[in-house]
């Protein structure tokens, strides 16, 4: 699995989460909601750090501007078979999450 973010999405996370260099966001699956490919489940996110997990527990990790974005194997059920692409909806000023088949 890959995680990709546009420059606008990166800037949004840095500003809205007040992410400083060395900090991270973890993406996970949660009940209720809907995505492009899930019905009854949505994408959750929180500040966290990959160092809180063993290397084997990290499912995907990308680093942009010294900040990390990652998922864990615990949520493989949610991301399995997909790459996560994040851009910014400029009208709503919030991220759009796209699940692209691998």
């Amino acid at each position: 699995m890959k995680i990709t973010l546009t420059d606008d999405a990166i800037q949004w996370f840095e500003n809205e989460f007040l992410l400083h260099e060395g900090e991270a966001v973890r993406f996970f699956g949660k009940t209720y909601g809907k995505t492009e490919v899930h019905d009854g489940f949505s994408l959750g996110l929180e500040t966290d750090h990959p160092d809180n997990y063993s290397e084997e527990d990290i499912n995907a990790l990308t680093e942009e501007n010294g900040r990390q974005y990652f998922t864990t194997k615990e949520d493989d059920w949610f991301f399995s078979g997909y790459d996560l692409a994040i851009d910014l909806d400029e009208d709503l000023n919030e991220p759009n999450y796209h699940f692209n088949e691998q």
Side-chain angles (χ1 to χ4, degrees):
M1 176 193 172
K2 286 189 318 186
I3 301 171
T4 57
L5 299 97
T6 63
D7 290 341
D8 288 340
I10 292 165
Q11 191 65 47
W12 185 90
F13 280 102
E14 290 176 10
N15 292 338
E16 294 298 317
F17 277 73
L18 303 176
L19 287 180
H20 300 286
E21 192 167 330
E23 295 183 322
V25 172
R26 181 175 73 94
F27 301 102
F28 57 92
K30 65 180 188 169
T31 56
Y32 303 111
K34 185 175 177 146
T35 71
E36 298 170 332
V37 297
H38 305 94
D39 197 17
F41 300 96
S42 61
L43 185 125
L45 51 131
E46 67 182 356
T47 54
D48 198 347
H49 203 280
D51 289 347
N52 295 333
Y53 304 86
S54 71
E55 190 173 314
E56 299 85 42
D57 288 335
I58 301 298
N59 191 36
L61 173 75
T62 191
E63 186 170 323
E64 300 287 350
N65 291 344
R67 285 99 175 147
Q68 296 175 315
Y69 303 87
F70 71 104
T71 65
T72 63
K73 294 217 165 124
E74 176 181 323
D75 291 296
D76 190 45
W77 64 271
F78 186 75
F79 296 105
S80 182
Y82 298 100
D83 291 326
L84 179 62
I86 306 165
D87 62 17
L88 188 69
D89 182 322
E90 293 185 18
D91 292 332
L92 298 175
N93 191 36
E94 63 184 35
N96 280 324
Y97 302 100
H98 305 283
F99 294 81
N100 301 321
E101 286 190 57
Q102 295 174 328

